[in-house]
C-alpha cells in the first residue's frame, strides 16, 4: 500500500536530508538559486514527456502503490521524483565542486587543446545521431519505444548544453563531473531495481528491449537515470561557467554585487572569449599553486570561500608569500634593503597622493613597467594582480617592515650588518613583529571580506573587526613561533625575546646550539602559547560579526591553526597527540578535519 510514497520516505528523502546537512555550511544563495532554477527546468521539461509516456502506457502504476492525486495523469509521487532527484544530484555536484576554482578552467574557452576540440565535435555528432535514432525508435508499440523516447527527449537538451559548455566541462577535474553523475545514478539504479521488483511501477511489455542491467533493472531505466543526472550536472556546470567569467574578470564586470544578477549571467554568456584576460588566469593559477605548496591550512580554508572574495584572498596571499620569499632569499643585508625599497616603491606607485589624478590606464601601464624593470619575471603576476584598489595601504607597508625584521636574524653580525641586533629584545618587540607579519594579514583579509560581503558596514563595526583580526593574527603568529623553535634555530633564528632568555640564564647562542635541550625552552613555549590563547579568547567572539558567507571559512582557518597550539599544550604521547613533520608539530588530518567541521557548523 502506497509503495511509491514509501520509496521516497525510505530512500530519497533521507538521502536529501543527509546531503543537506553535509552541505549546509557551504551553501549560499547562489547555490539555492542555481538548484532552484534547475529544479524548475527539470520539472517543466519532464512534465509533458512523462505525461505522454503514461498516456501511451509505457509507464504504469498500480492504484494501490500511489496515494491518488495526479497532474496530467502523473502521480504526485512521480512529480516529486523530478524535484528530489534534481535536488540530490545538484547537492552532490556542489559538494564535489567546492574545492574547484572554476575560473582556472576558463582558458580553454579561447585556446582549447586539439583533443578538446575533437572531443567536443565528436560529442555533438554522437548526440545528434542519438537524437535522430531516438526519433525513429520512439514509435509506439515496438521494443525500442521507451529507449527512443528517452533519447529523443534528453539528447537535444544535452546537445544544447554540450555546445554551450562542452570545453568547460571537459576541462574540469573528473571528480567534479564524473562522480556527481555516477554516485546518484548508482544509488537510483538500486532504488529503481527494488521498486521494479516490488511492482511499485512497471514498464509496458512490448515497449522495451527486455534486457536488464542487473536484477529487474531494465536497460531503459538505467539509461533514464544516467542521462537525467548528466543533464543535471552539465546544467550546473553551465551556471558555474558563467559565474566564473563574472568573478574572474573585473575589467569585464567591475562591480559585482553580493550575488550576481540574472542579467549579469546573460551578459557573461554573451562576452566574446577574445576579451578573456588569459594572462590573469595564468597568474591566478600561479597564485593557487603557491598557496597549495606554502600553506596547507589556508589552502584548505580558502576552498570554502566563494566568488571574487576567494580569488582576491588567493591573490593577497600570493603577494605576501612572494614578498617574504624575495627578502628571505636575499644573499646580503644590502639586497634585503634593495628588495624592501622596491616593494615600498611599488606600493607608493599605487597609493601615492601625487598620482591621485593620473589617468588609471596610464597609471597601470607605469606600474607594470616598474614591475618588469625592478622584479624578476616570476614576481610579475603576484604584484600585477594584487587588488590594491580594495586593500588599505598601511597594513601592506607594515607587512614589508615585518619581512625586513626577519632578515635581521639572517644577517646579524655580518660585515655589512654590524649595527644589527637581534630584532626581538623584549615583549614589545615580539608584539610589534607579530603585528607586522600576521596582524596586518588579518586586517587585509577583513578588508577584502567587508568589501565583497558587506560594503555598507558601519565604521565602528569595521574598526572592531579590524582590531579583532589584528589581535587574532598576533595570536596565530605566537603559535607559529612556539611551534617552530627547532625549525627556526636551524636557520639561525630565535624569536624568543632576549629578556625571556636572560630570565632563564640563556643566550641566543645556547638556543641555536640546543633548541630542544633545556627544559626552560618548553617553559617559554608555554608562555608564548598562554599569550596566544589570551589574545585568541579576546578576539574570538568578535569573529561572529564577520558576514555569514565568510564567517565559517575564516573561523575554520583560525581554529585549524590554533589547534596546533592546543596540540603543543597537550602532554605528548607517541603517535597519538601530534606528529612531527620536518621538525614541526603538525595536527593529524582527521583532527584537522574535525576542527574545521566544528567551525563550519558553529551557529
Amino acid at each position: 500500500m502506497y509503495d511509491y510514497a514509501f520509496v521516497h520516505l525510505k530512500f530519497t528523502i533521507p538521502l536529501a536530508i543527509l546531503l543537506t546537512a553535509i552541505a549546509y555550511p557551504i551553501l549560499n544563495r547562489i547555490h539555492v538559486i542555481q538548484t532552484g532554477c534547475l529544479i524548475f527546468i527539470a520539472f517543466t521539461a519532464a512534465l509533458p514527456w512523462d505525461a505522454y509516456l503514461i498516456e501511451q502506457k509505457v509507464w504504469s502504476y498500480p492504484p494501490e502503490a500511489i496515494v491518488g492525486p495526479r497532474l496530467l495523469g502523473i502521480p504526485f509521487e512521480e512529480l516529486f521524483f523530478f524535484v528530489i532527484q534534481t535536488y540530490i544530484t545538484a547537492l552532490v555536484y556542489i559538494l564535489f565542486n567546492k574545492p574547484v576554482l572554476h575560473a582556472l578552467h576558463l582558458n580553454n574557452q579561447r585556446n582549447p587543446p586539439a583533443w578538446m576540440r575533437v572531443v567536443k565535435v565528436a560529442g555533438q555528432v554522437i548526440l545528434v545521431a542519438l537524437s535522430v535514432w531516438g526519433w525513429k525508435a520512439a514509435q509506439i508499440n515496438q521494443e525500442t519505444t521507451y529507449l527512443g523516447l528517452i533519447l529523443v527527449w534528453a539528447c537535444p537538451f544535452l546537445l544544447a548544453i554540450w555546445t554551450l559548455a562542452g570545453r568547460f566541462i571537459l576541462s574540469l577535474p573528473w571528480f567534479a563531473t564524473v562522480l556527481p553523475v555516477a554516485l546518484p545514478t548508482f544509488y537510483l539504479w538500486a532504488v529503481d531495481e527494488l521498486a521494479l521488483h516490488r511492482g511499485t511501477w512497471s514498464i509496458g511489455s512490448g515497449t522495451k528491449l527486455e534486457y536488464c542491467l542487473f536484477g529487474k533493472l531494465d536497460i531503459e531505466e538505467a539509461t533514464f537515470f544516467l542521462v537525467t543526472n548528466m543533464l543535471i550536472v552539465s546544467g550546473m556546470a553551465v551556471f558555474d561557467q558563467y559565474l566564473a567569467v563574472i568573478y574572474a574578470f573585473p575589467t569585464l564586470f567591475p562591480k559585482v554585487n553580493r550575488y550576481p544578477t540574472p542579467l549579469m549571467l546573460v551578459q557573461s554568456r554573451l562576452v566574446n572569449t577574445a576579451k578573456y584576460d588569459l594572462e590573469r588566469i595564468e597568474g591566478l593559477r600561479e597564485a593557487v599553486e603557491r598557496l597549495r605548496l606554502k600553506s596547507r591550512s589556508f589552502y584548505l580554508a580558502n576552498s570554502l570561500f566563494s566568488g571574487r572574495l576567494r580569488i582576491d584572498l588567493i591573490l593577497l596571499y600570493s603577494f605576501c608569500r612572494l614578498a617574504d620569499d624575495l627578502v628571505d632569499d636575499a644573499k646580503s643585508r644590502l639586497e634585503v634593503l634593495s628588495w624592501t625599497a622596491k616593494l615600498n616603491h611599488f606600493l607608493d606607485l599605487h597609493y601615492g597622493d601625487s598620482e591621485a589624478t593620473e589617468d588609471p590606464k596610464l597609471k597601470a601601464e607605469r606600474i607594470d613597467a616598474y614591475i618588469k624593470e625592478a622584479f624578476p619575471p616570476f614576481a610579475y603576476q603576484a604584484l600585477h594582480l594584487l587588488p590594491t584598489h580594495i586593500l588599505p595601504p598601511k597594513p601592506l607597508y607594515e607587512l614589508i617592515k615585518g619581512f625586513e625584521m626577519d632578515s635581521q636574524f639572517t644577517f646579524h653580525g655580518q660585515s655589512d650588518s654590524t649595527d644589527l641586533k637581534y630584532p626581538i629584545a623584549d615583549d614589545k618587540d615580539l608584539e610589534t613583529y607579530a603585528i607586522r607579519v600576521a596582524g596586518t594579514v588579518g586586517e587585509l583579509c577583513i578588508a577584502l571580506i567587508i568589501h565583497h560581503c558587506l560594503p555598507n558596514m558601519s565604521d565602528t563595526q569595521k574598526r572592531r573587526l579590524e582590531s579583532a583580526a589584528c589581535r587574532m593574527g598576533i595570536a596565530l603568529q605566537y603559535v607559529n613561533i612556539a611551534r617552530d623553535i627547532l625549525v627556526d634555530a636551524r636557520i639561525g633564528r630565535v624569536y624568543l625575546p632576549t629578556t625571556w632568555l636572560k630570565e632563564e640564564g640563556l643566550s641566543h647562542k645556547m638556543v641555536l646550539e640546543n633548541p630542544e635541550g633545556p627544559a626552560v625552552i618548553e617553559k617559554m613555549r608555554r608562555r608564548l602559547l598562554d599569550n596566544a590563547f589570551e589574545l585568541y579568547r579576546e578576539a574570538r567572539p568578535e569573529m561572529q560579526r564577520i558576514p555569514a558567507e565568510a564567517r565559517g571559512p575564516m573561523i575554520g582557518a583560525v581554529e585549524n591553526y590554533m589547534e596546533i597550539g592546543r596540540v603543543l599544550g597537550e602532554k605528548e604521547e607517541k603517535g597519538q597527540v601530534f606528529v612531527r613533520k620536518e621538525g614541526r608539530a603538525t595536527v593529524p588530518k582527521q583532527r584537522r578535519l574535525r576542527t574545521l567541521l566544528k567551525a563550519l557548523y558553529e551557529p
Side-chain angles (χ1 to χ4, degrees):
M1 192 74 171
Y2 304 144
D3 273 1
Y4 202 165
F6 281 110
V7 165
H8 289 306
L9 290 173
K10 290 180 180 179
F11 300 110
T12 62
I13 293 175
L15 178 60
I17 293 172
L18 176 63
L19 289 172
T20 303
I22 294 171
Y24 176 75
I26 64 171
L27 293 177
N28 56 43
R29 190 179 300 177
I30 288 291
H31 293 133
V32 174
I33 295 171
Q34 193 176 6
T35 304
C37 287
L38 228 66
I39 288 173
F40 175 78
I41 293 169
F43 189 90
T44 54
L47 190 65
W49 180 79
D50 204 319
Y52 181 76
L53 262 66
I54 292 173
E55 181 185 348
Q56 298 301 323
K57 296 185 170 46
V58 175
W59 279 347
S60 61
Y61 309 89
E64 67 277 7
I66 59 176
V67 175
R70 292 174 180 254
L71 175 64
L72 300 179
I74 307 172
F76 273 25
E77 296 91 335
E78 180 75 3
L79 297 171
F80 183 71
F81 216 121
F82 302 162
V83 175
I84 201 74
Q85 180 188 349
T86 306
Y87 181 74
I88 287 170
T89 304
L91 282 180
V92 175
Y93 172 90
I94 289 168
L95 287 168
F96 278 101
N97 275 266
K98 193 57 185 159
V100 180
L101 184 58
H102 292 110
L104 296 181
H105 302 279
L106 292 174
N107 57 335
N108 289 321
Q109 303 309 298
R110 196 165 88 192
N111 298 315
W115 72 266
M116 193 174 287
R117 295 176 186 269
V118 171
V119 172
K120 181 177 179 181
V121 172
Q124 289 171 319
V125 171
I126 290 169
L127 289 168
V128 169
L130 288 174
S131 299
V132 172
W133 185 88
W135 177 264
K136 294 180 178 180
Q139 304 304 313
I140 300 304
N141 297 325
Q142 62 181 28
E143 291 182 345
T144 58
T145 296
Y146 185 18
L147 185 58
L149 287 169
I150 293 171
L151 296 178
V152 77
W153 169 72
C155 287
F157 287 111
L158 282 172
L159 176 62
I161 293 171
W162 188 251
T163 300
L164 290 173
R167 292 174 186 169
F168 180 74
I169 293 170
L170 287 171
S171 69
L172 294 176
W174 69 274
F175 65 80
T177 53
V178 176
L179 288 182
V181 171
L183 295 179
T185 298
F186 293 153
Y187 182 81
L188 292 173
W189 279 355
V191 172
D192 194 29
E193 195 279 334
L194 181 64
L196 288 167
H197 185 77
R198 291 175 57 87
T200 304
W201 55 76
S202 60
I203 303 171
S205 59
T207 64
K208 59 181 181 177
L209 296 172
E210 302 294 346
Y211 176 76
C212 294
L213 187 63
F214 62 87
K216 292 278 188 179
L217 182 65
D218 296 288
I219 192 67
E220 292 87 354
E221 286 286 274
T223 302
F224 171 77
F225 284 113
L226 175 62
V227 297
T228 49
N229 284 327
M230 289 173 65
L231 282 167
I232 297 165
V233 167
S234 57
M236 296 286 284
V238 170
F239 203 102
D240 279 339
Q241 177 184 342
Y242 300 148
L243 281 174
V245 173
I246 294 170
Y247 294 140
F249 304 124
T251 53
L252 298 177
F253 296 92
K255 183 173 176 57
V256 178
N257 297 325
R258 203 166 182 179
Y259 302 104
T261 63
L263 177 60
M264 293 180 74
L265 289 171
V266 174
Q267 290 172 333
S268 68
R269 168 67 190 93
L270 298 176
V271 170
N272 191 321
T273 56
K275 295 183 178 179
Y276 287 7
D277 184 356
L278 298 188
E279 189 175 305
R280 178 178 171 84
I281 298 300
E282 287 307 308
L284 183 57
R285 194 183 307 280
E286 288 179 17
V288 170
E289 185 63 12
R290 188 173 284 127
L291 175 62
R292 186 185 69 83
L293 293 174
K294 298 290 187 176
S295 177
R296 290 176 300 166
S297 296
F298 192 59
Y299 181 73
L300 176 63
N302 179 265
S303 66
L304 299 172
F305 289 97
S306 299
R308 196 169 284 177
L309 171 61
R310 179 180 181 182
I311 291 174
D312 282 346
L313 286 169
I314 292 171
L315 297 177
L316 170 62
Y317 178 87
S318 182
F319 168 80
C320 296
R321 188 73 260 170
L322 170 81
D324 190 23
D325 288 346
L326 287 173
V327 174
D328 268 358
D329 295 342
K331 304 302 182 188
S332 69
R333 173 68 176 164
L334 291 177
E335 186 180 351
V336 167
L337 296 176
S338 173
W339 284 127
T340 55
K342 289 176 179 178
L343 288 166
N344 279 318
H345 185 62
F346 163 76
L347 295 177
D348 290 341
L349 291 175
H350 277 288
Y351 296 110
D353 292 336
S354 61
E355 308 298 334
T357 59
E358 186 177 2
D359 177 79
K361 185 177 180 181
L362 293 176
K363 180 178 178 180
E365 289 175 355
R366 191 161 56 85
I367 292 172
D368 271 6
Y370 176 73
I371 294 171
K372 291 174 181 176
E373 172 193 335
F375 294 91
F378 66 80
Y380 175 76
Q381 293 292 358
L383 296 167
H384 173 69
L385 297 178
L386 181 67
T388 52
H389 63 291
I390 302 172
L391 299 169
K394 184 179 177 182
L396 289 170
Y397 283 106
E398 288 297 311
L399 181 66
I400 294 170
K401 289 181 182 177
F403 296 150
E404 193 274 335
M405 283 183 73
D406 266 332
S407 74
Q408 294 179 34
F409 288 103
T410 304
F411 302 108
H412 176 267
Q414 289 192 5
S415 59
D416 64 347
S417 310
T418 53
D419 60 327
L420 286 183
K421 299 178 180 179
Y422 274 98
I424 301 179
D426 51 29
D427 292 73
K428 181 63 177 175
D429 288 339
L430 178 64
E431 182 184 35
T432 298
Y433 171 73
I435 289 172
R436 286 177 173 174
V437 299
T440 54
V441 177
E443 289 183 62
L444 292 166
C445 289
I446 286 298
L448 290 176
I449 289 171
I450 292 173
H451 174 83
H452 288 293
C453 300
L454 202 58
N456 297 323
M457 180 180 286
S458 70
D459 290 340
T460 302
Q461 285 183 306
K462 284 181 185 178
R463 285 193 292 271
R464 290 183 65 172
L465 267 182
E466 288 165 356
S467 174
C470 183
R471 295 199 304 278
M472 190 63 81
I474 298 170
L476 298 183
Q477 187 60 29
Y478 286 174
V479 170
N480 186 60
I481 294 171
R483 178 191 66 178
D484 290 346
I485 292 174
L486 173 60
V487 174
D488 291 332
R490 288 175 179 170
I491 58 174
R493 297 182 179 185
V494 179
Y495 289 94
L496 299 170
T498 304
T499 52
W500 292 15
L501 297 177
K502 288 181 178 179
E503 287 172 11
E504 304 297 340
L506 294 177
S507 66
H508 293 97
K509 183 178 180 181
M510 292 169 68
V511 177
L512 292 173
E513 290 175 349
N514 190 15
E516 289 191 298
V520 290
I521 290 181
E522 288 304 314
K523 178 181 175 182
M524 286 183 278
R525 191 197 306 273
R526 182 70 262 173
R527 186 172 173 180
L528 271 170
L529 292 174
D530 287 344
N531 290 347
F533 278 97
E534 181 179 351
L535 287 165
Y536 164 82
R537 285 188 290 271
E538 289 175 6
R540 182 65 171 80
E542 292 297 322
M543 294 189 74
Q544 296 302 124
R545 299 177 183 274
I546 295 173
E549 55 265 52
R551 186 187 310 134
M554 281 297 290
I555 291 175
V558 165
E559 291 296 344
N560 246 322
Y561 216 89
M562 292 305 295
E563 198 67 13
I564 298 171
R566 296 185 184 99
V567 160
L568 287 168
E570 294 171 359
K571 184 178 178 181
E572 182 175 354
E573 299 175 8
K574 283 187 179 180
Q576 293 182 3
V577 175
F578 69 85
V579 296
R580 285 191 180 273
K581 185 175 180 180
E582 299 177 355
R584 288 182 167 133
T586 63
V587 182
K589 289 182 180 179
Q590 289 185 343
R591 181 164 173 172
R592 287 206 309 268
L593 182 60
R594 286 199 304 270
T595 301
L596 181 61
L597 289 174
K598 182 180 178 182
L600 289 175
Y601 282 96
E602 184 175 304

